[in-house]
Amino acid sequence: QVQLVESGGGLVQAGGSLRLSCAASGLIFRITAMGWYRQAPGKQRELVAAITRGGSTNYADSVKGRFTISRDNAKNTVYLQMNSLKPEDTAVYYCSGSWQGSDYWGRGTQVTVSS
């Protein structure tokens, strides 16, 4: 059974930082492409950052230069370091993994950025 469990969300002031973690189990993490998505109230879920099994990354234009995605295959964990946070970054952040042709999702962690 594949499980993705996010942690690290919370309330932070604008300009602050948070680091999200996503612990994966039930899959071969080192060959799984991973990503972080977010969904703000009334908006569609959008890709924030992704990392391939080889370590290549891509980011949404809105977070380039502020967010960094990384992975630790020894810990089966993917991270999202978020710096210079803005109120518009407020959303539920979801971890996603693509493995054996299927997409898996965590339950999400709330990030709230106050102005």
Side-chain angles (χ1 to χ4, degrees), residues 29-107:
F29 183 79
R30 60 181 172 81
I31 61 170
T32 301
M34 301 295 297
W36 286 97
Y37 290 73
R38 67 186 181 188
Q39 187 166 19
K43 295 188 177 181
Q44 289 189 328
R45 190 173 297 189
E46 63 174 355
L47 175 68
V48 176
I51 185 166
T52 67
R53 60 185 187 179
S56 298
T57 58
N58 67 284
Y59 298 91
D61 287 343
S62 58
V63 307
K64 283 181 181 177
R66 300 189 297 122
F67 290 10
T68 302
I69 188 171
S70 62
R71 63 191 298 157
D72 185 337
N73 289 342
K75 295 182 178 180
N76 285 6
T77 300
V78 63
Y79 304 97
L80 185 67
Q81 178 66 45
M82 305 186 294
N83 299 327
S84 302
L85 283 160
K86 304 176 181 179
E88 50 264 44
D89 295 318
T90 295
V92 178
Y93 283 70
Y94 297 91
C95 174
S96 176
S98 296
W99 187 61
Q100 291 192 331
S102 296
D103 293 332
Y104 299 91
W105 296 88
R107 293 187 175 182

